[in-house]
Amino acid sequence: MISSIGAEVQTSGIVLPIETQATATSAANSSLIISGNIGQILREATQNVIAVIEKLIVTKQKYIFYVQFMTAYKLKGTDSATLAVATALYSILQGIPVKQEVAITGGLSVQGEALPVENISDKVHAAIEGGLKKIFVPRANLPDIHLEKELLGKVTIVPVECIYDVLKEALEWKGKQGVLKKLKRLKE
């Protein structure tokens, strides 16, 4: 499981657990099955994750990807979770666990770039209150984080520009450094 941070319609920021799974398929194309109480914009943006994952994995094998947003609350309509979804799916396919003390927020372009999100202060605050220690945010959102120094002192904010920046820091690479080296070459 991975923690993203989102914004609810009725309150402010929330920690959003996301569960993922991948099953090999003989179909001609990979597909995605999404469940959870999310809006249409996030649902459509999550579809784009397949392009990024297939670029990172570099395999002819196709998959059925399952993404479950574990929330009972209706999320606001923007994309703030596709960086986390891509990280979780990469983790599943490579067998590399996600560090459980991290939260990830940000959209993801089909080229793998981190896209800024709305309500970043609320999202960071929710992650702090949830006890998470490291928060990955799009670099473009850094000037938009307006919280007391006392709160920000409880966490490490990691600015990211692309999916590689997140994967490099959010996954437990012990014993899998060769995969990280291949991933770095893809970035270059």
Side-chain angles (χ1 to χ4, degrees):
M1 181 163 35
I2 192 166
S3 294
S4 181
I5 37 182
E8 301 175 311
V9 171
Q10 297 158 337
T11 61
S12 59
I14 63 164
V15 175
L16 174 63
I18 302 170
E19 295 253 347
T20 57
Q21 189 55 269
T23 304
T25 181
S26 59
N29 296 307
S30 292
S31 62
L32 185 66
I33 298 173
I34 305 167
S35 61
N37 197 7
I38 61 172
Q40 189 63 28
I41 293 171
L42 181 53
R43 188 171 299 280
E44 289 173 8
T46 302
Q47 293 285 338
N48 293 333
V49 170
I50 293 175
V52 175
I53 292 299
E54 288 184 338
K55 178 181 173 185
L56 295 175
I57 299 298
V58 189
T59 180
K60 292 181 181 183
Q61 177 63 57
K62 300 301 178 186
Y63 294 91
I64 301 171
F65 297 109
Y66 301 88
V67 178
Q68 183 176 15
F69 293 90
M70 310 285 289
T71 181
Y73 299 100
K74 181 71 173 176
L75 297 177
K76 288 185 180 177
T78 63
D79 169 20
S80 61
T82 49
L83 267 177
V85 170
T87 302
L89 289 173
Y90 186 86
S91 165
I92 290 287
L93 290 173
Q94 296 290 10
I96 303 170
V98 177
K99 296 174 183 174
Q100 292 301 294
E101 72 276 6
V102 305
I104 303 166
T105 191
L108 183 67
S109 78
V110 293
Q111 298 298 320
E113 298 162 344
L115 302 174
V117 297
E118 297 176 340
N119 305 312
I120 190 68
S121 292
D122 291 339
K123 293 170 184 174
V124 170
H125 187 262
I128 294 168
E129 293 297 313
L132 297 161
K133 301 298 180 199
K134 190 178 274 192
I135 306 168
F136 296 86
V137 302
R139 182 174 300 280
N141 277 125
L142 280 180
D144 304 324
I145 300 173
H146 303 290
L147 294 172
E148 298 82 25
K149 287 184 181 181
E150 177 184 309
L151 276 176
L152 290 174
K154 296 179 179 182
V155 297
T156 301
I157 304 289
V158 180
V160 297
E161 293 182 6
C162 64
I163 185 65
Y164 172 79
D165 296 341
V166 178
L167 296 174
K168 180 178 69 171
E169 298 292 328
L171 301 182
E172 298 281 358
W173 289 101
K174 186 176 181 180
K176 297 281 190 164
Q177 290 85 357
V179 177
L180 180 58
K181 285 180 185 176
K182 286 181 187 175
L183 185 62
K184 185 177 181 180
R185 276 181 268 170
L186 283 175
K187 182 187 183 241
E188 298 167 350

